[in-house]
Amino acid sequence: MRSWTDTLRFAFQPVVNLLTGGVAALEILARPEGGDILAEARRDPELDGRLAVSALRAAVRRETLLPLHVNVFAGTLADLGGLQPLHDAVREAGRMPWEVTLDVCPPYTHVPRKALLDALAVLRGQGFRICADGVGDGDAPLRLLTDLAPELVKLDASLLARPAAVRAMRVLCDGMGALLSVEGVETEGQCAVARAAGAQLAQGELFAPPARLPAADVYVPSGSPGVLPAPRSGPPVRQFVRPAALLPATASAGQVRALLTGSPDMSGVLLVDRAGVPVRSVHRSRFLLSMSARYGHALYADRPAAKLGDAPRTVGVNATAWEVLEVVAVGGRDRTSDDVAVVDAHGRCVGVVRLADLVRALAESRVEEAAGLNPLTRLPGSDAITVEVDRRIADGRAFALSWLDVDRFKEVNDGAGFAAGDELIRSVGQALLRSAQGTTRVGHIGGDDFLVLTEPEGLDPLAAAVLDVPWSAGGLAVTLSLATVLCAPGTVPDHRYAAAGLAPLKKAAKALRGASWVLGRAGAPGYEVRRGSEVSAAAAG
């Protein structure tokens, strides 16, 4: 009698990093020659657990060094309380558990929530990474998704028809510290939407179909991501993580040489201890140069490779690109091309980043930023401010959004000339920048209009910097008007509502005499006049 293992084969599909264009991992997919073994596995946790082990062993036989994604049903984890046989198989294969991501698949209906979360806690303790699979086309409640706290969320490609939903999921993922992936991408149009909506990873027929052999090359349409990083913080390094070539700290130089010569795309090898913590970094060029020198192979082949390595450079998975550059800058010039190891909260290596990827991304973000600068003040426009407003709303942070302009600016230009008006605008912009503290953002919308985003406690210094100063243009005295809306957490859903709250406050400020400041609170009626005086009826007439 034939066993189910006799008719079961596995295929590999690349998970592609949309920022670097490289293969980030391989998902292992069961491909039975007959019957519906996946439907049986959904009903039989023991069978599903054996499928996961078989998938891992199939990948090991293909000698792939890439991180792996193994599928398992949520009900299986809840029933079995974890997957000890899979952990044992990973160790027997010489791989690390944190090189394996478990794609937890629906259905979730009728799965005991506590049992599932307890099983995931066990798996995380063993080192496995967790992915919430089938989101958007499955039955995963939003509360359960946040309780799972996955390192990766996989969206169904059908959600690309609703880009706003994908953008919202990216915000949620950022809050959980997870990456966002889209699976089932088949067209370049879908890829463009995924990029623009903020997805960092993707897989599907467009890049490479599932195949019996791991794909060496994938097709990635050209294009840049649509979600720009905050100018000062830089893009998060987790978006640029590449798979790391890992070997035990006890590996010989001969083992490292065999790995590097068999994998020409690998720029180096990280030697890790039993816990997966990097202990030495072996740079490809320097290592092979030493090995190819006269007597090099005879001297080093059987000796520990650690003797030809350097102390590893590491950054946390939540670091930014700028922080990586600071780490690189500390060392000598001969190590500027070394990979930087990215480690999780336990110090375990989850991948590497290459300096070239970061420099390219930072250069692109600076080009985008420069294109949005006002040519008169060299300040960013409203887009940069509104992106940051939405980020603070998503983070649940209180903030103050202010609008500032020059009173009767047309009269200033007509009376003093446009050159004097331009000089006044530049001076106001410089005063705003000088007053900016901490996370304050200053934007120049155009003409005499400015936007300022700041913490609520930064309002008084901001107002003093621009309202307590005597302004003039070509000898003509000038006053400014300031309108501010305070936004507590939960009072505005996005930047549009915050901007709409400014409109009546702006009108009220312009109705006051002299330098004026009106302050209101989102969701609350009325406003407070902090500077300026009412215009009398006679004066108004």
Side-chain angles (χ1 to χ4, degrees):
M1 181 176 177
R2 299 182 72 190
S3 166
W4 60 269
T5 56
D6 296 331
T7 61
L8 183 65
R9 300 292 181 267
F10 291 93
F12 301 88
Q13 185 168 48
V15 179
V16 175
N17 187 316
L18 293 176
L19 289 172
T20 66
V23 177
L26 290 172
E27 181 175 356
I28 316 169
L29 303 169
R31 290 291 185 264
E33 293 181 359
D36 192 351
I37 195 171
L38 294 181
E40 294 180 37
R42 184 181 301 176
R43 298 187 296 267
D44 184 349
E46 294 288 347
L47 174 59
D48 193 31
R50 293 199 298 273
L51 273 178
V53 172
S54 296
L56 174 83
R57 288 173 175 163
V60 171
R61 286 195 297 271
R62 297 300 183 185
E63 298 183 349
T64 175
L65 295 175
L66 287 166
L68 304 172
H69 284 244
V70 177
N71 291 287
V72 62
F73 289 110
T76 296
L77 298 178
D79 285 349
L80 300 183
L83 291 173
Q84 187 60 42
L86 179 63
H87 180 264
D88 295 340
V90 170
R91 289 296 190 180
E92 289 169 7
R95 299 295 295 265
M96 306 292 183
W98 40 93
E99 297 179 82
V100 178
T101 297
L102 295 179
D103 286 10
V104 184
C105 304
Y108 292 93
T109 304
H110 307 308
V111 174
R113 176 177 168 276
K114 184 177 185 304
L116 174 60
L117 296 179
D118 288 346
L120 292 180
V122 171
L123 291 163
R124 279 201 171 94
Q126 293 173 338
F128 290 106
R129 297 166 64 79
I130 304 300
C131 164
D133 200 357
V135 175
D137 196 39
D139 61 345
L142 191 58
R143 178 185 172 186
L144 178 60
L145 180 61
T146 57
D147 288 343
L148 295 178
E151 284 78 22
L152 177 65
V153 172
K154 284 188 178 181
L155 289 185
D156 187 84
S158 61
L159 272 190
L160 293 175
R162 302 168 179 82
V166 183
R167 289 194 294 270
M169 188 57 66
R170 168 63 191 272
V171 172
L172 177 62
C173 286
D174 286 346
M176 296 190 297
L179 292 176
L180 179 62
S181 180
V182 179
E183 54 185 350
V185 176
E186 297 181 350
T187 68
E188 294 195 10
Q190 286 181 318
C191 181
V193 173
R195 272 198 176 106
Q200 295 120 328
L201 303 169
Q203 60 188 110
E205 296 280 342
L206 173 68
F207 311 105
R212 294 290 174 85
L213 294 176
D217 298 304
V218 293
Y219 169 72
V220 182
S222 60
S224 59
V227 176
L228 296 177
R232 294 187 182 181
S233 61
V237 73
R238 64 176 180 269
Q239 297 184 177
F240 303 94
V241 172
R242 291 175 176 266
L246 303 179
L247 283 177
T250 55
S252 68
Q255 290 174 297
V256 171
R257 183 178 183 276
L259 176 58
L260 289 177
T261 54
S263 307
D265 293 335
M266 292 293 182
S267 54
V269 174
L270 286 173
L271 305 179
V272 297
D273 63 17
R274 288 185 60 82
V277 177
V279 294
R280 299 296 282 177
S281 173
V282 180
H283 184 267
R284 180 187 188 90
S285 298
R286 293 197 299 273
F287 174 84
L288 293 179
L289 184 63
S290 297
M291 290 291 287
S292 62
R294 190 177 185 183
Y295 308 122
H297 189 272
L299 286 172
Y300 299 118
D302 296 325
R303 299 182 66 186
K307 293 183 178 297
L308 294 176
D310 300 286
R313 290 173 165 176
T314 61
V315 295
V317 71
N318 294 318
T320 67
W322 288 112
E323 290 174 286
V324 178
L325 293 186
E326 291 171 0
V327 169
V328 172
V330 170
R333 293 183 179 180
D334 60 328
R335 296 196 62 191
T336 55
S337 62
D338 287 19
D339 291 342
V340 176
V342 180
V343 297
D344 63 13
H346 303 287
R348 301 177 302 210
C349 181
V350 298
V352 296
V353 289
R354 294 180 180 175
L355 184 62
D357 289 339
L358 301 184
V359 170
R360 182 172 60 252
L362 291 173
E364 289 175 354
S365 70
R366 284 297 181 257
V367 169
E368 295 284 352
E369 182 185 343
L373 297 181
N374 186 285
L376 181 61
T377 59
R378 306 305 294 167
L379 290 172
S382 61
D383 286 349
I385 304 299
T386 55
V387 166
E388 182 62 21
V389 167
D390 285 339
R391 183 176 288 111
R392 296 191 189 191
I393 291 172
D395 291 342
R397 296 166 55 189
F399 62 88
L401 184 63
S402 298
W403 162 88
L404 176 79
D405 83 341
V406 178
D407 296 327
R408 297 181 296 278
F409 184 63
K410 184 178 184 304
E411 297 178 19
V412 173
N413 265 348
D414 291 344
F418 72 87
D422 286 352
E423 183 57 36
L424 173 65
I425 295 302
R426 277 192 288 266
S427 298
V428 172
Q430 291 168 6
L432 289 171
L433 277 180
R434 286 195 298 269
S435 71
Q437 301 176 356
T439 59
T440 296
R441 301 285 186 268
V442 179
H444 184 189
I445 303 175
D448 62 322
D449 293 313
F450 294 87
L451 270 181
V452 184
L453 174 64
T454 187
E455 307 290 340
E457 55 269 23
L459 284 174
D460 287 328
L462 166 69
V466 292
L467 300 181
D468 291 349
V469 177
W471 296 98
S472 64
L476 299 176
V478 172
T479 58
L480 308 181
S481 292
L482 180 66
T484 300
V485 59
L486 278 173
C487 299
T491 56
V492 290
D494 59 34
H495 70 270
R496 297 175 184 83
Y497 283 82
L502 271 179
L505 302 177
K506 172 182 175 181
K507 183 177 180 181
K510 298 299 288 185
L512 299 175
R513 183 164 49 193
S516 60
W517 181 19
V518 168
L519 184 144
R521 288 171 171 77
Y527 56 83
E528 175 187 352
V529 176
R530 292 202 167 184
R531 300 284 182 95
S533 58
E534 300 286 347
V535 179
S536 65

